[in-house]
Amino acid sequence: MGSDIPDWLPEVSMSEERGVRFLHLGSPWVQGAMRIQSPVDLELEYVRRMMGWLLFVDPDTVAGRRAVQLGLGAAALTKFCALRLQMRTTAVEINSQVVAACRQWFKLPDNSEQINVTLANADAWVRASSEVGQVDLLHIDLYDHEAAGPVLDDADFYGACKRLLSPDGALVINLFGRHSSFAHSMQQLSDVFEPECLWAFAPTKEGNTVVMAFAQRQTMTAALATERAAEVRRRWGIKNGDWVQRLRTWTAQDAA
């Protein structure tokens, strides 16, 4: 898959402020963050919400499941899934500079049986993957250096992703809820995933909307969500006090 990697990619840099290290790709836009004294914790609010899948699964079944990230960023989700959740984790990243920066500045471990970072085009990797029906948690956070909209954002791509999901697996994607591309993204997802398979958090103050698209329809009561959110905080230290209030199903009427 290396032949799909372009010759030119934005320069990778980092900055630090108040104990937090930030990743940048050729622009001031933040592409990831890590609190230096707590390198495995999830620093950014939208990144924490990308673990919302944990509300829908039995906490005792998480360790040993399969996680994939399309787009490494600052390796926050990759490290968390592999090291804190003990999931078998693969990250797919097109930019070798990002991988090197994560190893140098963001405490990304070397590849092992638990964690694997592969240099590849995400679209090509998804379509060539033999892990059909085996991925429990598929994170998608694919933005260019201008962060204007998802790089891969059509029903064909989302359909290829869906085929990888396990029966209770989820595709979890970061979208800009206040950006012009959001309605398009939700329509493309709605063309692939059935009603009651799409769940979304309300936008963060920065405008990030985390959407979860499940392989099968999901039901969730407020009582169970509250119980699971408390367990997620206790077991894995994720700050999620607003998850239950901000989570809802996405329907056709929402897109109208």
Side-chain angles (χ1 to χ4, degrees):
M1 296 180 197
S3 61
D4 294 316
I5 299 170
D7 293 330
W8 183 89
L9 288 163
E11 183 179 355
V12 177
S13 62
M14 69 95 176
S15 63
E16 292 183 9
E17 183 178 353
R18 298 180 180 178
V20 179
R21 185 171 292 161
F22 300 98
L23 178 74
H24 307 275
L25 299 179
S27 79
W29 288 100
V30 170
Q31 300 282 351
M34 177 191 75
R35 184 160 296 277
I36 297 170
Q37 295 301 317
S38 305
V40 182
D41 288 348
L42 301 176
E43 179 65 21
L44 299 179
E45 182 178 0
Y46 92 86
V47 176
R48 292 194 290 268
R49 292 184 184 184
M50 291 190 78
M51 296 308 309
W53 166 81
L54 290 169
L55 295 178
F56 293 84
V57 296
D58 182 343
D60 290 335
T61 70
V62 171
R65 284 184 181 249
R66 185 78 173 95
V68 172
Q69 287 84 45
L70 302 181
L72 180 62
L77 290 169
T78 301
K79 291 184 300 182
F80 194 88
C81 287
L83 304 179
R84 189 68 57 82
L85 300 183
Q86 293 296 300
M87 299 179 74
R88 296 176 295 112
T89 305
T90 294
V92 181
E93 172 57 49
I94 198 170
N95 192 339
S96 60
Q97 297 178 72
V98 171
V99 178
C102 286
R103 294 233 158 92
Q104 181 177 357
W105 296 329
F106 293 92
K107 305 292 185 182
L108 175 66
D110 292 336
N111 285 354
S112 64
E113 291 185 4
Q114 189 73 20
I115 187 170
N116 178 57
V117 178
T118 184
L119 196 65
N121 176 290
D123 188 37
W125 187 91
V126 165
R127 296 178 192 281
S129 177
S130 61
E131 298 189 63
V132 176
Q134 299 179 42
V135 177
D136 300 295
L137 180 56
L138 178 61
H139 286 122
I140 303 177
D141 198 2
L142 297 168
Y143 284 83
D144 62 18
H145 61 287
E146 295 294 338
V151 174
L152 298 170
D153 188 33
D154 58 48
D156 185 56
F157 171 67
Y158 294 134
C161 290
K162 182 182 179 181
R163 63 188 280 275
L164 301 184
L165 298 180
S166 65
D168 60 353
L171 175 163
V172 183
I173 186 169
N174 168 40
L175 299 172
F176 283 141
R178 301 190 183 101
H179 194 274
S180 60
S181 66
F182 180 75
H184 170 82
S185 300
M186 292 307 303
Q187 183 59 60
Q188 300 304 301
L189 286 165
S190 298
D191 287 346
V192 174
F193 292 89
E194 297 178 9
E196 299 179 1
C197 289
L198 291 176
W199 291 71
F201 287 105
T204 66
K205 62 181 182 293
E206 295 82 11
N208 299 87
T209 296
V210 171
V211 178
M212 293 179 285
F214 288 87
Q216 298 181 2
R217 296 184 180 190
Q218 298 290 323
T219 59
M220 175 61 66
T221 65
L224 179 58
T226 300
E227 177 185 329
R228 288 268 173 83
E231 184 68 4
V232 167
R233 289 194 299 272
R234 186 188 69 80
R235 287 197 187 208
W236 299 301
I238 301 177
K239 299 175 183 177
N240 62 7
D242 63 348
W243 279 13
V244 177
Q245 294 77 18
R246 293 184 174 272
L247 180 65
R248 63 188 176 93
T249 56
W250 183 270
T251 66
Q253 286 74 26
D254 293 310

